[in-house]
């Protein structure tokens, strides 16, 4: 990618999981489009990936990670203490920044101790980056856990190019300004050379927050990019919607095993129409609201009772945080109410799977579903929506998608867009989806597949990095514009 420098990737989590067994510690590479897109880049640039391995400090883990690292690139762990996990990760990241950035400020706990820990952990990550990075390296930081990293590094005199990609939404100023440390976050972000957002909505919100909370900010548009200038410093900002490894998913999902498994799933449900939800168990994903909409459908359309089944996969997430525990209880209560009210002997309208299903099973579910019901209250992008399309080479299936998911921008021509808070609206879109003729499904699915295929995760990666690499030329152009 870059002739001189290496790529230094920094994210809260390393792209691995640590599995302990009787044989000791084993390091497993995480799957997913982001890791598949980034690893080849990392290998070609000979860089390193810095992050928390998701386990407490252990010399054995450290040496296993070293063994996993190759001549091409290495994995550098940053270990968090118990109190850092509690105050930085659970606290600041997941009880302040996560809800606030998803417009749910009433769920925030603005504890100043959480913020102190955020500052400390960003410094700890900066220690690790400083140890690894050289002047010509390109440092690419991911997500809201590390918004102050460039600031920490610049204060130590690190002058490398630094890009930041924001995976979650950026809230509008009326929401963002509730944050007691709003100016620190904005100033911190402006120490990066390049800022990437998922959608224009997020980029615009970021600019509106800058104008509301900082003085002396100037923003110039140059082509599809923007140059933000403050106090004589410049940062480039642009929109790069993240995506998936389309070809891999499309290819894997037509293997004979997956197709046979999808047929088996349909038979298991006695050829009832399947509606599928796949999410981390997170209150932003709108799972209780989705269940209420499904209940509304069964109440309003008695003829559908016994004809349609909702399969909801929820992957356990952030289970030690009270708001997540409340969400889990709300989901379980609704599932049992719906099954109690509309189920019959040997038959339940909602199948609730509270665990991660294997990749092959997930693909078979995508293939078996008549409808994917993707209704987050707000989402940076939502990759499940794109994966569903990639898996449907049969050009059948309907996507019912929240208008508040970043994916709605690219998929709006094929999906049925809904407001997840409008239960009757979601129920009626679901009804339309279940009755949609095959030719209409085909037209819509073709449009969505074309869109996802044309902008996959590799292209995303190239756009994000390419832009950062050409930053110097861009700034010269900007200053003379
Ligand atoms: C953040 C932002 C943004 C889910 N269940 C299973 C499973 N998954 C996989 C899906 C998909 C991924 O997890 C979930 O991605 P999302 O995009 O939906 O959501 P977040 O985790 O919230 O991610 C989001 C994303 O970052 C990228 O920028 O889109 O807005 O919140 O890939 O397939 N995979 C398997 N079994 C499961 O049960 N194997």
């Amino acid at each position: 990618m870059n002739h001189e420098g290496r790529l230094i990737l920094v994210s809260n989590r390393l792209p691995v999981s640590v599995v302990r067994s009787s044989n000791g510690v084993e390091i497993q590479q995480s799957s997913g489009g982001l890791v598949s897109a980034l690893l080849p880049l990392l290998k070609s640039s000979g860089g390193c990936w810095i992050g928390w391995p998701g386990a407490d400090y252990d010399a054995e883990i450290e040496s296993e990670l070293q063994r996993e690292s190759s001549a091409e690139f290495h994995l550098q762990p940053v270990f968090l203490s118990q109190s850092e996990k509690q105050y930085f990760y659970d606290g600041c990241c997941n009880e302040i920044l996560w809800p606030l950035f998803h417009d749910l400020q009433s769920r925030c706990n603005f504890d100043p101790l959480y913020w102190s820990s955020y500052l400390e952990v960003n410094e700890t990550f900066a220690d690790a980056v400083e140890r690894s990075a050289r002047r010509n390296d390109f440092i690419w930081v991911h997500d809201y856990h590390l918004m102050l990293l460039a600031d920490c590094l610049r204060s130590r005199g690190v002058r490398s190019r630094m890009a930041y990609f924001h995976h979650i939404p950026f809230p509008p100023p009326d929401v963002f300004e509730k944050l007691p440390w709003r100016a620190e976050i904005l100033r911190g972000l402006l120490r990066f050379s390049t800022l990437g957002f998922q959608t224009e909505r997020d980029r615009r919100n970021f600019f509106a927050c800058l104008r509301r909370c900082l003085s002396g900010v100037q923003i110039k548009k140059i082509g599809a990019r923007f140059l933000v200038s403050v106090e004589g410093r410049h940062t480039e900002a642009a929109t790069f919607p993240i995506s998936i490894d389309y070809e891999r998913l499309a290819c894997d999902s037509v293997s004979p095993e997956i197709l046979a498994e999808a047929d088996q799933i349909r038979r298991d449900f006695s050829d009832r129409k399947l509606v599928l939800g796949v999410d981390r168990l997170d209150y932003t994903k709108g799972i209780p609201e989705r269940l209420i909409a499904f209940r509304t459908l069964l109440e309003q359309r008695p003829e559908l009772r016994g004809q349609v089944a909702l399969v909801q996969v929820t992957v356990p997430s952030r289970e030690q945080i009270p708001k997540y525990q409340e969400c889990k209880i709300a989901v379980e209560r609704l599932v049992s109410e719906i099954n109690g009210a509309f189920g019959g002997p040997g038959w339940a309208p909602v199948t609730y799977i509270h665990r991660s299903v294997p990749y092959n099973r997930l693909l078979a579910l995508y293939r078996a579903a008549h409808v994917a019901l993707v209704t987050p209250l707000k989402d940076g992008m939502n990759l499940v929506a794109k994966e569903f399309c990639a898996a449907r080479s049969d050009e059948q299936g309907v996507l019912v998608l929240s208008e508040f998911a970043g994916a709605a921008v690219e998929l709006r021509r094929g999906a049925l867009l809904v407001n997840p808070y409008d239960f009757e609206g979601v129920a009626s879109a679901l009804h339309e989806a279940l009755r949609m003729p095959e030719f209409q499904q085909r037209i819509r699915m073709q449009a969505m597949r074309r869109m996802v295929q044309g902008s996959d995760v590799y292209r995303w990666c190239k756009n994000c990095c390419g832009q950062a690499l050409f930053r110097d030329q861009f700034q010269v152009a900007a200053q003379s514009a």
Side-chain angles (χ1 to χ4, degrees), residues 31-34 98 102 143-144 165-169 198 242-244 249 278-280 282 284-285 313-315 318 353 355-360 362 366 374 378-385 387 406 460:
S31 52
L34 188 61
W98 177 267
H102 287 84
D143 228 359
Y144 64 104
F165 187 76
H166 193 72
H167 288 256
I168 64 173
Q198 297 272 28
I242 200 167
S243 196
I244 58 168
L249 241 117
V278 178
D279 313 81
R280 275 186 308 103
D282 192 301
T284 62
K285 301 290 180 183
V313 178
T314 51
V315 181
R318 306 174 190 170
I353 301 170
R355 59 180 182 276
S356 175
V357 299
Y359 172 71
N360 281 0
L362 184 65
Y366 286 149
V374 182
K378 193 145 184 196
D379 219 332
M381 179 54 59
N382 197 295
L383 298 179
V384 169
E387 290 167 2
W460 169 80

Side-chain angles (χ1 to χ4, degrees), residues 16 60 102 311 365:
V16 295
E60 203 182 344
H102 287 84
V311 177
L365 283 165

Side-chain angles (χ1 to χ4, degrees), residues 74-145:
H74 73 273
L75 297 168
Q76 189 175 327
V78 173
F79 288 98
L80 299 181
S81 66
Q82 284 301 330
S83 79
E84 286 169 339
K85 270 192 288 181
Q86 187 183 343
Y87 293 106
F88 159 76
Y89 183 66
D90 293 348
C92 194
C93 295
N94 291 327
E95 283 195 82
I96 300 180
L97 299 172
W98 177 267
L100 188 78
F101 281 53
H102 287 84
D103 299 353
L104 298 167
Q105 65 267 38
S106 60
R107 298 189 189 222
C108 294
N109 173 6
F110 293 110
D111 186 335
L113 285 176
Y114 291 174
W115 177 248
S116 314
S117 187
Y118 190 79
L119 296 173
E120 279 167 24
V121 172
N122 272 256
E123 291 289 355
T124 307
F125 271 82
D127 293 340
V129 176
E130 203 182 6
R131 276 198 301 274
S132 299
R134 303 181 204 132
R135 171 69 183 93
N136 289 325
D137 289 345
F138 169 47
I139 301 168
W140 191 10
V141 179
H142 287 265
D143 228 359
Y144 64 104
H145 315 86

Side-chain angles (χ1 to χ4, degrees), residues 22-39:
S22 49
N23 300 332
V25 165
E26 198 193 319
I27 304 293
Q28 289 177 356
Q29 189 186 303
S30 310
S31 52
L34 188 61
V35 176
S36 354
L38 293 175
L39 282 184

Side-chain angles (χ1 to χ4, degrees), residues 19 22 62 111 145 164 168 194 227 252 320 338 398 436:
V19 180
S22 49
E62 209 167 27
D111 186 335
H145 315 86
Y164 169 83
I168 64 173
T194 303
L227 192 75
D252 290 351
Q320 57 299 342
I338 296 169
V398 183
M436 189 179 286

